[in-house]
Amino acid sequence: MIVVDSNVMAYLYLPGEHTAAAEALLERDPDWAAPILWRSEFRSILAGYIRRKDISFEQAVSLCGPSRIALSRSLRANVNHNPRQTAA
């Protein structure tokens, strides 16, 4: 199991310089855990992309559904999250 933060998850859905690394991490170990706030943090990341005009509002909305569903299936919400355990 790997404990990840919302940035790692965003790399999977928002192509960029770290996307390949996030995909390789997921392939190496698909059992991920994340703090319960990952959904809120992911939406905050999307809001930043909208503000910078990197994606449209509609694109952000479309990313919320698939990412939430896919990640919720493979993610364990780590209720007793310790920030020192979070992988960057």
Side-chain angles (χ1 to χ4, degrees), residues 39-77:
R39 291 176 186 100
S40 177
E41 292 171 347
F42 186 74
R43 288 189 296 267
S44 179
I45 291 168
L46 291 175
Y49 274 72
I50 293 168
R51 279 192 302 276
R52 289 187 304 275
K53 301 194 186 305
D54 292 331
I55 63 173
S56 69
F57 176 78
E58 291 76 17
Q59 288 171 310
V61 169
S62 72
L63 285 170
C64 284
S67 64
R68 182 177 49 84
I69 293 166
L71 292 172
S72 292
R73 285 185 187 147
S74 62
L75 256 168
R76 296 180 204 191

Side-chain angles (χ1 to χ4, degrees), residues 4-13 32 34 38 42 71 75:
V4 296
D5 70 6
S6 56
N7 290 305
V8 174
M9 292 181 271
Y11 297 146
L12 290 174
Y13 291 94
W32 286 13
W38 79 265
F42 186 74
L71 292 172
L75 256 168

